[in-house]
Amino acid sequence: MAGSCTVRVVDPEHASVNGRKRSQRPQRTHHEVADELRARIRSGALRPGERMPTQAQLAHEFGVERGAVRQALRILQSERLLTNVSKGSPATVAPAPDRALTGPQTPPLPTTVALAPRIAAAFAAEHVEIDAVCLTSVSLTLAIGEPLRQIHAGRLKPAKVDVRVLLPSRDIDLAFPVPVEGRGDDWVHDRWLAMRNAQGQVLRHNLLALRATHGIDVRVTFRALPFTPPVKLYLLNNTEALFAYYTLMRREAEIEHEHLEMYDAQGTRSMLFSFQQGPGLRDTTFVEQSHLWFNALWETISSELVLTN
């Protein structure tokens, strides 16, 4: 009989590539790493002023590359939950992170930085109520992505969500965006209308999907304004108002291989001011008056809005 040989079966979970152990677990995304670290900061497991583990330690803990850890840390730094995020030393938990983006002492921040964490905080309530006045709902649609991720991860579990959005009517002559010299007016209006409708449809679809996936009672309603709003306003759970000006700028767009100059506002970069109900009379009054203003528009001069071209 030929000489026998021994066959060793290697557990796939512990098989190595280039000497490194390989896990069958799916690798986490940088958003998932950020969600977990954010939850630790919010819960107090990581305290204000405490130094975070090193990027190497976090990469080992979560089973990801250091690049994913750096992306996660930058997200939390943009939300003002972390400071001193660099390659050289561990980051530090920001002072009083739960109040990092609220209160009269908070500096205004770009919408892309400030809105998502405040929307996510609002979704911690059992009944989430969001009212918005805006030009296209781009910023709101982007910001809703953060609480949706946390709901799907099981970290947020609202029972009911009510969202009301006021957008300009398709039938009006917009104050902006408009061409500088009047040429191409139809193209500019159609481009804005397509963006308004597309963003609104995405926002509504993503929220209504929570009914089927998580059994959440969701209502999303849009109404049309007979004017172009010069500001954007977000009202959260009847306790917080986020306010920004639409600042116009002259920029260039291409239409049918020709360059067209237009006046437009980049709402995602607008500086967002935060006001919150509480002991301060100034902030409380602003929130209350903002709700009165929104409800008056909703119940009087606004009309039904259909998100089609």
Side-chain angles (χ1 to χ4, degrees):
M1 185 175 178
S4 61
C5 62
T6 301
V7 177
R8 184 176 64 178
V9 178
V10 179
D11 181 355
E13 182 176 351
H14 296 94
S16 62
V17 177
N18 296 329
R20 296 179 63 185
K21 289 186 177 181
R22 180 178 62 197
S23 173
Q24 287 184 316
R25 292 181 303 170
Q27 193 171 75
R28 298 192 188 192
T29 67
H30 65 279
H31 283 297
E32 291 173 323
V33 175
D35 288 344
E36 175 61 31
L37 295 177
R38 185 187 298 105
R40 294 180 189 179
I41 295 171
R42 297 293 188 194
S43 68
L46 290 169
R47 298 183 300 276
E50 182 178 349
R51 296 187 74 176
M52 299 281 289
T54 65
Q55 292 183 15
Q57 290 171 326
L58 291 171
H60 177 75
E61 175 186 351
F62 291 106
V64 299
E65 300 296 329
R66 288 198 192 185
V69 171
R70 281 194 291 273
Q71 285 180 284
L73 297 179
R74 290 191 190 108
I75 289 174
L76 300 182
Q77 183 181 42
S78 73
E79 297 173 7
R80 301 175 67 86
L81 295 175
L82 293 178
T83 61
N84 193 36
V85 174
S86 66
K87 294 182 180 180
S89 60
T92 304
V93 180
D98 286 330
R99 297 189 298 276
L101 292 175
T102 61
Q105 303 304 318
T106 302
L109 296 167
T111 301
T112 49
V113 174
L115 188 57
R118 298 315 312 148
I119 294 286
F123 267 76
E126 184 174 2
H127 182 190
V128 181
E129 296 180 85
I130 297 175
D131 295 332
V133 180
C134 43
L135 188 65
T136 62
S137 78
V138 170
S139 297
L140 181 59
T141 302
L142 291 172
I144 286 290
E146 178 60 30
L148 290 180
R149 281 191 293 270
Q150 295 195 38
I151 288 173
H152 294 313
R155 297 189 181 95
L156 292 174
K157 298 179 181 179
K160 186 176 182 181
V161 176
D162 284 311
V163 176
R164 300 187 299 172
V165 184
L166 286 169
L167 297 169
S169 169
R170 61 176 296 163
D171 300 322
I172 65 172
D173 292 329
L174 290 172
F176 59 89
V178 291
V180 173
E181 298 178 355
R183 184 177 59 86
D185 191 61
D186 290 343
W187 180 85
V188 173
H189 185 276
D190 290 346
R191 176 178 172 274
W192 162 80
L193 181 61
M195 181 178 294
R196 186 204 73 170
N197 292 342
Q199 293 297 325
Q201 289 168 357
V202 170
L203 177 64
R204 181 169 59 190
H205 170 79
N206 289 346
L207 287 169
L208 292 181
L210 296 175
R211 289 179 179 173
T213 58
H214 297 276
I216 299 173
D217 181 11
V218 179
R219 289 185 300 177
V220 184
T221 313
F222 296 87
R223 287 186 67 80
L225 290 170
F227 62 89
T228 309
V231 299
K232 56 166 58 178
L233 176 70
Y234 307 97
L235 303 171
L236 312 180
N237 293 344
N238 297 306
T239 61
E240 187 172 359
L242 300 168
F243 173 91
Y245 294 102
Y246 281 118
T247 302
L248 297 186
M249 60 186 64
R250 187 167 178 158
R251 69 181 188 86
E252 200 173 76
E254 187 173 326
I255 171 173
E256 297 180 353
H257 308 294
E258 293 186 20
H259 293 288
L260 173 72
E261 286 194 308
M262 57 191 295
Y263 294 119
D264 199 3
Q266 294 183 316
T268 57
R269 299 181 185 177
S270 300
M271 300 300 286
L272 209 59
F273 295 80
S274 172
F275 301 85
Q276 195 166 41
Q277 280 192 329
L281 179 61
R282 168 186 169 273
D283 279 26
T284 296
T285 302
F286 186 88
V287 173
E288 291 174 349
Q289 290 298 311
S290 295
H291 274 283
L292 289 174
W293 181 72
F294 181 94
N295 287 330
L297 293 175
W298 188 269
E299 296 165 3
T300 57
I301 62 174
S302 66
S303 58
E304 182 181 0
L305 187 151
V306 180
L307 294 170
T308 57
N309 292 335

